[in-house]
Amino acid sequence: MRRLVALATTGHVGLLGGAFLFQLAGYAPCAMCLWQRWPHAVAIALGIAALAGLWPRAMAGLAALAALVTAGIGAFHAGVEQGWWPGPASCTGSGAGISGMSGGDLLSTDIPETLVMCDDIVWQFGLTMAGWNAVLSLALAILWIAAAARPQRASDL
């Protein structure tokens, strides 16, 4: 069990670290990209708790849930990027447009230069970043479930 927990926790560290490296390389995240990061952080914390011996099965089960949440957000985000379904109006090109903006908003120059819309694909290697997050997070969820279901041995304590 301990090895599976360590492997899954390391996987989340890798995915979250990779997201930050892409950001440092100039790929600014959209709002949904940021949403996908939080469950990774939760899974890492739960993995550390499990490795410390704090209810390892329960922590692995909760970490599996966190991995499934980020996989779900990633799959939804990938669908938004591909135009399969609409995304949140606050971060897609299908928003309210300029009709809800005041004159001051329209004339403002206080917009970030790296504003990224959730329906824009900024990087793709077969799948988009969101798609890869969905696939890899699903694999991590399977590891977490295997860890939670594995009988705990005396050597795991």
Side-chain angles (χ1 to χ4, degrees), residues 110-133:
D110 295 334
I111 58 171
E113 291 180 25
T114 57
L115 179 66
V116 177
M117 301 302 282
C118 295
D119 52 358
D120 287 340
I121 297 173
V122 297
W123 181 90
Q124 187 168 358
F125 185 71
L127 299 173
T128 64
M129 279 193 268
W132 280 113
N133 181 61

Side-chain angles (χ1 to χ4, degrees), residues 6-36:
L7 182 61
T9 303
T10 303
H12 286 286
V13 169
L15 287 176
L16 189 57
F20 286 121
L21 286 175
F22 270 102
Q23 190 172 344
L24 286 173
Y27 294 96
C30 70
M32 288 174 59
C33 292
L34 296 174
W35 298 346
Q36 292 170 74

